[in-house]
Amino acid sequence: METGTNFMDCFDIDVISNVLSFLNDPADLIRATAVSRSWRYHVIANDLCKKLWLRKVPQVANVAYAVEDSDGIIKLSDISSRNPANWEALKRDHKIYSSLLQPLAKPIISPKDCLGFPIGASSTDHDLAENVINTLTPIDRYPGGASYWSSKGESDPNVPENILYRLNTSISIVTEVHIRPFQAFWEPGRPVYSAKSVRFRLGRPKSVVDVEIDVCPVQQPSVDKYIWTYTSPEFPMAQESCLQQFKLPEPVVCVGGIFQIELFGRARRGTIDGLFYICLGYVRVLGHSLEPAFNLEMYPSGELLLKYYPHALDVLHRSFSGEGSSSTDEAESERMLQRAEMLLVEMAENVLDGVEWD
């Protein structure tokens, strides 16, 4: 064997291609292209980065792709197309999909809160005082009051609840969800109104028409307006007023920016009416936005276009590594508090506008 010859290069071409196709870790596949010219050729010629991207993010199979560079937008061929492409097209596609895989290959050193604002809840006991907006703020009590969301009371403890949120960007990676059930500190025994278990869904609106644009959360938003592309396992919840962490089995790419919490089982009766409630004090969704390197646009027909901006990829990688994270986190926390406060003010104004004064 000649010096510098890779051991795998001694095998038949089909054997090498078949072996490389079993790589399921984006980091391994990206490294494979740097081993030798032969390996790089097999990865590109067999569209392995594109195929792995589809395995990791199957919900984007029908999304159109475009590259926006200094020369304008270059639209890629249909991602699900099986038609043979020429070598230049294969190299171009490899560059795009290897870039798409890189965020999945890099650990998120400094995850960010990805929640934008709530769309609505399946029920709310007192619309203003116990609104789902309150789950955006980590503080669940203040002088003279409390901040939390409460469902309506039910005689059946098995009636589920759900809360819909928008994430703060149209495309992001979600790694875990944190929830703190609310403890009614003024009631005898300081009960915690937790659910018994929780599950999460990620998705996108079916069309632009179905995008909820209300300033204030709506009552009983229709979940049928959304295409759900990921459903997590069901996690048990502790009956404790602490920030409970639910880590997804693997990072999930959310294409479309819609997040849902499904709450199952009511663990506690209300001390006054004897009905079962679920109350949450705080919710946050951790992960990282894929903007500004990637951006998702939706047309009125519901078709999606994923744009890739090569010049912004380095910015994305630096943010994954946590550069400048402290000041960014503080600013984001401040923005979250301000946004929640403004939403509550606007909601109160809307309620007051509907009141007929004598």
Side-chain angles (χ1 to χ4, degrees), residues 65-78:
Y65 288 67
V67 183
E68 185 162 314
D69 214 334
S70 56
D71 297 328
I73 297 177
I74 306 171
K75 190 169 182 179
L76 296 181
S77 57
D78 183 1

Side-chain angles (χ1 to χ4, degrees), residues 45-357:
N46 291 282
D47 251 354
L48 295 187
C49 283
K50 176 179 175 179
K51 291 174 181 176
L52 181 57
W53 169 250
L54 282 175
R55 290 205 303 271
K56 292 291 184 182
V57 196
Q59 61 267 32
V60 300
N62 297 315
V63 176
Y65 288 67
V67 183
E68 185 162 314
D69 214 334
S70 56
D71 297 328
I73 297 177
I74 306 171
K75 190 169 182 179
L76 296 181
S77 57
D78 183 1
I79 189 173
S80 59
S81 172
R82 297 183 181 274
N83 296 327
N86 60 45
W87 180 245
E88 290 304 315
L90 285 170
K91 286 198 298 183
R92 181 195 62 200
D93 283 11
H94 169 75
K95 181 178 180 181
I96 301 305
Y97 297 113
S98 62
S99 298
L100 284 164
L101 285 172
Q102 284 183 41
L104 294 177
K106 296 175 69 68
I108 302 176
I109 304 301
S110 180
K112 306 293 190 295
D113 190 347
C114 298
L115 272 189
F117 55 95
I119 296 172
S122 52
S123 77
T124 301
D125 195 34
H126 295 93
D127 192 43
L128 190 57
E130 299 172 327
N131 195 271
V132 69
I133 291 174
N134 296 329
T135 62
L136 296 179
T137 59
I139 301 171
D140 62 3
R141 66 176 72 183
Y142 53 88
S147 175
Y148 62 99
W149 163 80
S150 174
S151 71
K152 288 186 177 297
E154 296 283 351
S155 57
D156 182 357
N158 295 314
V159 174
E161 296 285 349
N162 70 78
I163 305 175
L164 277 175
Y165 294 90
R166 281 195 195 92
L167 301 183
N168 52 24
T169 60
S170 61
I171 181 167
S172 56
I173 295 178
V174 175
T175 57
E176 57 188 290
V177 182
H178 296 176
I179 299 176
R180 184 174 64 238
F182 181 71
Q183 182 177 41
F185 52 85
W186 63 88
E187 294 183 5
R190 300 165 63 90
V192 176
Y193 290 97
S194 173
K196 293 182 179 179
S197 63
V198 64
R199 187 171 67 187
F200 312 110
R201 295 204 291 179
L202 298 170
R204 63 177 179 85
K206 289 182 177 178
S207 70
V208 174
V209 177
D210 293 326
V211 176
E212 306 278 3
I213 57 175
D214 301 81
V215 172
C216 303
V218 298
Q219 287 283 5
Q220 298 180 327
S222 174
V223 296
D224 294 334
K225 293 182 177 181
Y226 304 96
I227 295 173
W228 300 106
T229 55
Y230 172 81
T231 301
S232 78
E234 191 171 328
F235 300 93
M237 290 193 75
Q239 314 308 307
E240 300 173 2
S241 180
C242 60
L243 196 61
Q244 301 179 31
Q245 302 180 11
F246 306 98
K247 191 174 181 63
L248 302 183
E250 62 179 359
V252 178
V253 177
C254 180
V255 178
I258 301 297
F259 172 75
Q260 183 191 48
I261 298 176
E262 296 180 293
L263 299 156
F264 303 109
R266 300 164 184 250
R268 179 76 65 169
R269 290 182 184 271
T271 57
I272 297 176
D273 58 14
L275 298 177
F276 290 92
Y277 292 85
I278 298 176
C279 302
L280 302 183
Y282 181 48
V283 174
R284 65 179 180 182
V285 177
L286 293 185
H288 207 293
S289 169
L290 293 182
E291 295 181 357
F294 303 95
N295 183 50
L296 192 73
E297 293 184 3
M298 175 178 283
Y299 296 111
S301 62
E303 293 179 317
L304 299 177
L305 176 66
L306 180 61
K307 290 185 177 181
Y308 166 50
Y309 301 86
H311 61 276
L313 189 61
D314 186 53
V315 176
L316 179 64
H317 289 169
R318 288 202 304 269
S319 64
F320 266 56
S321 66
E323 293 184 20
S325 61
S326 296
S327 59
T328 302
D329 287 345
E330 291 173 2
E332 180 64 20
S333 296
E334 182 64 26
R335 283 195 295 271
M336 290 288 288
L337 289 169
Q338 291 175 354
R339 181 162 63 245
E341 181 179 358
M342 289 302 299
L343 285 171
L344 283 171
V345 170
E346 291 172 349
M347 185 174 179
E349 290 175 348
N350 287 348
V351 171
L352 292 175
D353 286 342
V355 175
E356 295 182 4
W357 300 96

Side-chain angles (χ1 to χ4, degrees), residues 1 4-23 25-49 87 90-91 94 98:
M1 184 182 295
T5 301
N6 190 282
F7 174 73
M8 281 281 287
D9 292 339
C10 298
F11 289 95
D12 181 77
I13 291 175
D14 292 337
V15 174
I16 297 174
S17 298
N18 190 48
V19 170
L20 291 174
S21 69
F22 280 98
L23 293 177
D25 188 322
D28 291 339
L29 187 57
I30 292 170
R31 293 189 193 105
T33 61
V35 171
S36 69
R37 290 181 180 178
S38 173
W39 282 34
R40 178 176 173 78
Y41 170 81
H42 290 299
V43 170
I44 296 175
N46 291 282
D47 251 354
L48 295 187
C49 283
W87 180 245
L90 285 170
K91 286 198 298 183
H94 169 75
S98 62

